[in-house]
mmCIF file of all heavy atoms in Angstrom:
data_model
loop_
_atom_site.group_PDB
_atom_site.id
_atom_site.type_symbol
_atom_site.label_atom_id
_atom_site.label_comp_id
_atom_site.label_asym_id
_atom_site.label_seq_id
_atom_site.Cartn_x
_atom_site.Cartn_y
_atom_site.Cartn_z
ATOM 1 N N PRO A 1 0.863 -1.187 -0.035
ATOM 2 C CA PRO A 1 -0.077 -0.005 -0.002
ATOM 3 C C PRO A 1 0.888 1.269 -0.002
ATOM 4 O O PRO A 1 0.508 2.274 -0.547
ATOM 5 C CB PRO A 1 -0.825 -0.154 1.244
ATOM 6 C CG PRO A 1 -0.811 -1.597 1.611
ATOM 7 C CD PRO A 1 0.393 -2.157 1.161
ATOM 8 N N VAL A 2 2.070 1.251 0.715
ATOM 9 C CA VAL A 2 2.946 2.408 0.649
ATOM 10 C C VAL A 2 3.445 2.688 -0.797
ATOM 11 O O VAL A 2 3.427 3.844 -1.218
ATOM 12 C CB VAL A 2 4.138 2.187 1.692
ATOM 13 C CG1 VAL A 2 4.864 3.533 1.760
ATOM 14 C CG2 VAL A 2 3.460 1.801 2.992
ATOM 15 N N LEU A 3 3.768 1.686 -1.445
ATOM 16 C CA LEU A 3 4.261 1.858 -2.873
ATOM 17 C C LEU A 3 3.197 2.367 -3.765
ATOM 18 O O LEU A 3 3.379 3.279 -4.478
ATOM 19 C CB LEU A 3 4.716 0.506 -3.430
ATOM 20 C CG LEU A 3 5.981 -0.081 -2.775
ATOM 21 C CD1 LEU A 3 6.126 -1.606 -3.127
ATOM 22 C CD2 LEU A 3 7.200 0.707 -3.319
ATOM 23 N N ASP A 4 1.896 1.731 -3.568
ATOM 24 C CA ASP A 4 0.799 2.250 -4.421
ATOM 25 C C ASP A 4 0.416 3.709 -4.067
ATOM 26 O O ASP A 4 0.183 4.424 -5.038
ATOM 27 C CB ASP A 4 -0.476 1.451 -4.062
ATOM 28 C CG ASP A 4 -0.517 0.077 -4.930
ATOM 29 O OD1 ASP A 4 -0.043 0.129 -6.020
ATOM 30 O OD2 ASP A 4 -1.090 -0.880 -4.390
ATOM 31 N N ASP A 5 0.524 4.070 -2.835
ATOM 32 C CA ASP A 5 0.121 5.446 -2.395
ATOM 33 C C ASP A 5 1.235 6.402 -3.030
ATOM 34 O O ASP A 5 0.951 7.474 -3.491
ATOM 35 C CB ASP A 5 0.134 5.599 -0.926
ATOM 36 C CG ASP A 5 -0.657 6.755 -0.478
ATOM 37 O OD1 ASP A 5 -1.852 6.775 -0.638
ATOM 38 O OD2 ASP A 5 -0.075 7.737 0.077
ATOM 39 N N ALA A 6 2.532 5.905 -2.869
ATOM 40 C CA ALA A 6 3.607 6.867 -3.434
ATOM 41 C C ALA A 6 3.477 7.039 -4.941
ATOM 42 O O ALA A 6 3.652 8.177 -5.467
ATOM 43 C CB ALA A 6 4.919 6.176 -3.188
ATOM 44 N N ALA A 7 3.152 5.914 -5.691
ATOM 45 C CA ALA A 7 3.034 6.078 -7.138
ATOM 46 C C ALA A 7 1.817 7.061 -7.439
ATOM 47 O O ALA A 7 1.829 7.884 -8.350
ATOM 48 C CB ALA A 7 2.741 4.729 -7.765
ATOM 49 N N GLY A 8 0.683 7.006 -6.681
ATOM 50 C CA GLY A 8 -0.453 7.726 -6.865
ATOM 51 C C GLY A 8 -0.246 9.231 -6.611
ATOM 52 O O GLY A 8 -0.974 10.101 -7.192
ATOM 53 N N ARG A 9 0.798 9.567 -5.693
ATOM 54 C CA ARG A 9 1.003 10.996 -5.385
ATOM 55 C C ARG A 9 2.022 11.685 -6.417
ATOM 56 O O ARG A 9 2.155 12.873 -6.357
ATOM 57 C CB ARG A 9 1.612 11.009 -3.925
ATOM 58 C CG ARG A 9 0.653 10.765 -2.880
ATOM 59 C CD ARG A 9 1.246 10.565 -1.624
ATOM 60 N NE ARG A 9 0.255 10.284 -0.533
ATOM 61 C CZ ARG A 9 -0.195 11.161 0.403
ATOM 62 N NH1 ARG A 9 0.386 12.376 0.334
ATOM 63 N NH2 ARG A 9 -1.006 10.892 1.305
ATOM 64 N N MET A 10 2.617 10.754 -7.252
ATOM 65 C CA MET A 10 3.661 11.274 -8.199
ATOM 66 C C MET A 10 2.950 11.756 -9.430
ATOM 67 O O MET A 10 2.051 11.142 -9.929
ATOM 68 C CB MET A 10 4.735 10.306 -8.447
ATOM 69 C CG MET A 10 5.526 9.884 -7.311
ATOM 70 S SD MET A 10 6.763 8.642 -7.642
ATOM 71 C CE MET A 10 7.651 8.496 -6.179
ATOM 72 N N PRO A 11 3.474 12.801 -10.099
ATOM 73 C CA PRO A 11 3.030 13.300 -11.441
ATOM 74 C C PRO A 11 3.182 12.159 -12.416
ATOM 75 O O PRO A 11 4.217 11.386 -12.261
ATOM 76 C CB PRO A 11 3.882 14.346 -11.782
ATOM 77 C CG PRO A 11 4.390 14.985 -10.466
ATOM 78 C CD PRO A 11 4.499 13.784 -9.596
ATOM 79 N N ALA A 12 2.224 11.924 -13.321
ATOM 80 C CA ALA A 12 2.296 10.765 -14.242
ATOM 81 C C ALA A 12 3.586 10.825 -15.069
ATOM 82 O O ALA A 12 4.063 9.770 -15.465
ATOM 83 C CB ALA A 12 1.047 10.859 -15.163
ATOM 84 N N GLU A 13 4.134 11.942 -15.329
ATOM 85 C CA GLU A 13 5.389 12.024 -16.149
ATOM 86 C C GLU A 13 6.677 11.973 -15.382
ATOM 87 O O GLU A 13 7.768 11.925 -15.980
ATOM 88 C CB GLU A 13 5.420 13.335 -17.001
ATOM 89 C CG GLU A 13 5.531 14.602 -16.141
ATOM 90 C CD GLU A 13 4.162 15.118 -15.502
ATOM 91 O OE1 GLU A 13 3.175 14.365 -15.640
ATOM 92 O OE2 GLU A 13 4.235 16.152 -14.813
ATOM 93 N N ALA A 14 6.566 11.848 -14.013
ATOM 94 C CA ALA A 14 7.762 11.753 -13.188
ATOM 95 C C ALA A 14 8.520 10.459 -13.462
ATOM 96 O O ALA A 14 8.033 9.366 -13.417
ATOM 97 C CB ALA A 14 7.449 11.796 -11.703
ATOM 98 N N PRO A 15 9.935 10.598 -13.724
ATOM 99 C CA PRO A 15 10.646 9.387 -14.001
ATOM 100 C C PRO A 15 10.679 8.408 -12.810
ATOM 101 O O PRO A 15 10.729 7.164 -12.975
ATOM 102 C CB PRO A 15 12.042 9.924 -14.262
ATOM 103 C CG PRO A 15 11.876 11.318 -14.720
ATOM 104 C CD PRO A 15 10.642 11.796 -14.028
ATOM 105 N N ALA A 16 10.614 8.989 -11.660
ATOM 106 C CA ALA A 16 10.647 8.089 -10.478
ATOM 107 C C ALA A 16 9.466 7.296 -10.323
ATOM 108 O O ALA A 16 9.431 6.169 -9.782
ATOM 109 C CB ALA A 16 10.872 8.929 -9.221
ATOM 110 N N ARG A 17 8.290 7.706 -10.939
ATOM 111 C CA ARG A 17 7.014 7.084 -10.862
ATOM 112 C C ARG A 17 7.150 5.738 -11.499
ATOM 113 O O ARG A 17 6.582 4.656 -10.988
ATOM 114 C CB ARG A 17 5.861 7.852 -11.457
ATOM 115 C CG ARG A 17 4.526 7.194 -11.204
ATOM 116 C CD ARG A 17 3.364 8.151 -11.578
ATOM 117 N NE ARG A 17 2.097 7.572 -11.212
ATOM 118 C CZ ARG A 17 1.398 6.838 -12.102
ATOM 119 N NH1 ARG A 17 1.859 6.479 -13.331
ATOM 120 N NH2 ARG A 17 0.288 6.264 -11.690
ATOM 121 N N SER A 18 7.775 5.648 -12.703
ATOM 122 C CA SER A 18 7.931 4.387 -13.328
ATOM 123 C C SER A 18 8.770 3.390 -12.596
ATOM 124 O O SER A 18 8.482 2.137 -12.615
ATOM 125 C CB SER A 18 8.623 4.695 -14.809
ATOM 126 O OG SER A 18 10.000 5.214 -14.553
ATOM 127 N N ARG A 19 9.714 3.917 -11.786
ATOM 128 C CA ARG A 19 10.512 2.988 -10.980
ATOM 129 C C ARG A 19 9.600 2.307 -9.878
ATOM 130 O O ARG A 19 9.734 1.245 -9.607
ATOM 131 C CB ARG A 19 11.704 3.710 -10.418
ATOM 132 C CG ARG A 19 12.708 4.170 -11.429
ATOM 133 C CD ARG A 19 13.800 4.955 -10.657
ATOM 134 N NE ARG A 19 14.548 4.113 -9.806
ATOM 135 C CZ ARG A 19 15.491 4.519 -8.898
ATOM 136 N NH1 ARG A 19 15.643 5.820 -8.904
ATOM 137 N NH2 ARG A 19 16.049 3.802 -8.177
ATOM 138 N N VAL A 20 8.811 3.138 -9.284
ATOM 139 C CA VAL A 20 7.904 2.716 -8.258
ATOM 140 C C VAL A 20 6.856 1.722 -8.861
ATOM 141 O O VAL A 20 6.651 0.641 -8.171
ATOM 142 C CB VAL A 20 7.146 3.853 -7.570
ATOM 143 C CG1 VAL A 20 6.036 3.147 -6.589
ATOM 144 C CG2 VAL A 20 8.067 4.824 -6.865
ATOM 145 N N LEU A 21 6.399 1.926 -10.004
ATOM 146 C CA LEU A 21 5.387 0.996 -10.712
ATOM 147 C C LEU A 21 6.120 -0.327 -11.064
ATOM 148 O O LEU A 21 5.552 -1.364 -10.899
ATOM 149 C CB LEU A 21 4.895 1.682 -11.959
ATOM 150 C CG LEU A 21 3.898 2.815 -11.712
ATOM 151 C CD1 LEU A 21 3.494 3.415 -12.996
ATOM 152 C CD2 LEU A 21 2.706 2.299 -10.945
ATOM 153 N N LEU A 22 7.383 -0.205 -11.487
ATOM 154 C CA LEU A 22 8.195 -1.472 -11.603
ATOM 155 C C LEU A 22 8.401 -2.239 -10.356
ATOM 156 O O LEU A 22 8.286 -3.485 -10.341
ATOM 157 C CB LEU A 22 9.399 -1.119 -12.309
ATOM 158 C CG LEU A 22 9.502 -0.687 -13.762
ATOM 159 C CD1 LEU A 22 10.996 -0.307 -14.139
ATOM 160 C CD2 LEU A 22 9.092 -1.935 -14.554
ATOM 161 N N GLY A 23 8.527 -1.496 -9.291
ATOM 162 C CA GLY A 23 8.664 -2.239 -7.955
ATOM 163 C C GLY A 23 7.294 -2.863 -7.582
ATOM 164 O O GLY A 23 7.401 -3.972 -7.036
ATOM 165 N N ILE A 24 6.227 -2.174 -7.842
ATOM 166 C CA ILE A 24 4.930 -2.830 -7.499
ATOM 167 C C ILE A 24 4.726 -4.057 -8.346
ATOM 168 O O ILE A 24 4.315 -5.126 -7.887
ATOM 169 C CB ILE A 24 3.863 -1.762 -7.854
ATOM 170 C CG1 ILE A 24 3.943 -0.688 -6.830
ATOM 171 C CG2 ILE A 24 2.449 -2.422 -7.741
ATOM 172 C CD1 ILE A 24 3.018 0.546 -7.148
ATOM 173 N N THR A 25 5.097 -4.089 -9.686
ATOM 174 C CA THR A 25 5.014 -5.236 -10.466
ATOM 175 C C THR A 25 5.778 -6.282 -10.066
ATOM 176 O O THR A 25 5.322 -7.505 -10.042
ATOM 177 C CB THR A 25 5.386 -4.740 -11.916
ATOM 178 O OG1 THR A 25 4.501 -3.682 -12.453
ATOM 179 C CG2 THR A 25 5.211 -6.026 -12.876
ATOM 180 N N GLU A 26 7.059 -6.101 -9.682
ATOM 181 C CA GLU A 26 7.878 -7.071 -9.104
ATOM 182 C C GLU A 26 7.372 -7.690 -7.901
ATOM 183 O O GLU A 26 7.404 -8.933 -7.624
ATOM 184 C CB GLU A 26 9.353 -6.562 -8.903
ATOM 185 C CG GLU A 26 10.206 -7.681 -8.353
ATOM 186 C CD GLU A 26 10.475 -8.819 -9.129
ATOM 187 O OE1 GLU A 26 10.101 -8.838 -10.389
ATOM 188 O OE2 GLU A 26 11.049 -9.748 -8.581
ATOM 189 N N ALA A 27 6.824 -6.799 -6.970
ATOM 190 C CA ALA A 27 6.244 -7.404 -5.708
ATOM 191 C C ALA A 27 5.138 -8.267 -5.999
ATOM 192 O O ALA A 27 5.030 -9.377 -5.313
ATOM 193 C CB ALA A 27 5.737 -6.121 -4.832
ATOM 194 N N HIS A 28 4.275 -7.854 -6.825
ATOM 195 C CA HIS A 28 3.109 -8.830 -7.277
ATOM 196 C C HIS A 28 3.610 -10.133 -7.847
ATOM 197 O O HIS A 28 2.919 -11.121 -7.684
ATOM 198 C CB HIS A 28 2.059 -8.065 -8.021
ATOM 199 C CG HIS A 28 1.148 -7.196 -7.283
ATOM 200 N ND1 HIS A 28 0.195 -7.676 -6.514
ATOM 201 C CD2 HIS A 28 1.223 -5.802 -7.081
ATOM 202 C CE1 HIS A 28 -0.473 -6.732 -5.944
ATOM 203 N NE2 HIS A 28 0.102 -5.561 -6.227
ATOM 204 N N ARG A 29 4.600 -10.026 -8.773
ATOM 205 C CA ARG A 29 5.224 -11.249 -9.371
ATOM 206 C C ARG A 29 5.659 -12.111 -8.318
ATOM 207 O O ARG A 29 5.393 -13.391 -8.323
ATOM 208 C CB ARG A 29 6.328 -10.802 -10.243
ATOM 209 C CG ARG A 29 6.824 -12.049 -11.158
ATOM 210 C CD ARG A 29 7.900 -11.602 -12.069
ATOM 211 N NE ARG A 29 9.176 -11.367 -11.215
ATOM 212 C CZ ARG A 29 9.917 -12.539 -11.073
ATOM 213 N NH1 ARG A 29 9.648 -13.702 -11.249
ATOM 214 N NH2 ARG A 29 11.015 -12.297 -10.255
ATOM 215 N N GLN A 30 6.348 -11.771 -7.280
ATOM 216 C CA GLN A 30 6.969 -12.496 -6.205
ATOM 217 C C GLN A 30 5.664 -13.181 -5.433
ATOM 218 O O GLN A 30 5.758 -14.348 -5.034
ATOM 219 C CB GLN A 30 7.864 -11.745 -5.301
ATOM 220 C CG GLN A 30 9.146 -11.483 -5.949
ATOM 221 C CD GLN A 30 9.976 -12.644 -6.276
ATOM 222 O OE1 GLN A 30 9.749 -13.736 -5.696
ATOM 223 N NE2 GLN A 30 11.008 -12.491 -7.149
ATOM 224 N N LEU A 31 4.685 -12.343 -5.150
ATOM 225 C CA LEU A 31 3.634 -12.869 -4.317
ATOM 226 C C LEU A 31 2.771 -13.828 -5.132
ATOM 227 O O LEU A 31 2.260 -14.809 -4.581
ATOM 228 C CB LEU A 31 2.692 -11.632 -4.008
ATOM 229 C CG LEU A 31 3.285 -10.733 -2.941
ATOM 230 C CD1 LEU A 31 2.277 -9.484 -2.771
ATOM 231 C CD2 LEU A 31 3.305 -11.383 -1.549
ATOM 232 N N GLY A 32 2.681 -13.605 -6.493
ATOM 233 C CA GLY A 32 1.934 -14.609 -7.325
ATOM 234 C C GLY A 32 2.687 -15.947 -7.360
ATOM 235 O O GLY A 32 2.108 -16.975 -7.748
ATOM 236 N N GLN A 33 4.031 -15.910 -7.087
ATOM 237 C CA GLN A 33 4.764 -17.205 -7.110
ATOM 238 C C GLN A 33 4.717 -17.970 -5.785
ATOM 239 O O GLN A 33 5.258 -19.106 -5.715
ATOM 240 C CB GLN A 33 6.158 -16.975 -7.457
ATOM 241 C CG GLN A 33 6.393 -16.475 -8.879
ATOM 242 C CD GLN A 33 7.854 -16.170 -9.240
ATOM 243 O OE1 GLN A 33 8.728 -16.238 -8.341
ATOM 244 N NE2 GLN A 33 8.122 -15.939 -10.487
ATOM 245 N N ALA A 34 4.026 -17.399 -4.763
ATOM 246 C CA ALA A 34 3.967 -17.980 -3.386
ATOM 247 C C ALA A 34 3.397 -19.279 -3.539
ATOM 248 O O ALA A 34 2.249 -19.501 -4.078
ATOM 249 C CB ALA A 34 3.254 -16.978 -2.437
ATOM 250 N N ARG A 35 4.060 -20.275 -3.017
ATOM 251 C CA ARG A 35 3.535 -21.553 -2.843
ATOM 252 C C ARG A 35 4.223 -22.511 -1.933
ATOM 253 O O ARG A 35 5.304 -22.025 -1.432
ATOM 254 C CB ARG A 35 3.678 -22.302 -4.304
ATOM 255 C CG ARG A 35 5.238 -22.407 -4.774
ATOM 256 C CD ARG A 35 5.336 -22.868 -6.152
ATOM 257 N NE ARG A 35 6.739 -23.128 -6.546
ATOM 258 C CZ ARG A 35 7.544 -22.055 -6.943
ATOM 259 N NH1 ARG A 35 6.955 -20.878 -7.054
ATOM 260 N NH2 ARG A 35 8.786 -22.237 -7.241
ATOM 261 N N GLU A 36 3.666 -23.556 -1.490
ATOM 262 C CA GLU A 36 4.335 -24.433 -0.393
ATOM 263 C C GLU A 36 5.210 -25.451 -1.206
ATOM 264 O O GLU A 36 4.674 -26.187 -2.013
ATOM 265 C CB GLU A 36 3.316 -24.971 0.475
ATOM 266 C CG GLU A 36 2.719 -24.051 1.345
ATOM 267 C CD GLU A 36 1.927 -24.722 2.493
ATOM 268 O OE1 GLU A 36 1.969 -26.058 2.546
ATOM 269 O OE2 GLU A 36 1.319 -23.986 3.333
#
């Protein structure tokens, strides 16, 4: 949620926003691989 909120507060054209969105994507990729 902190990553999502940070991305939502940044201007759409901000270079840093794309880095945060990539981080969010990677986090969801790792969570999607969660298995026993």
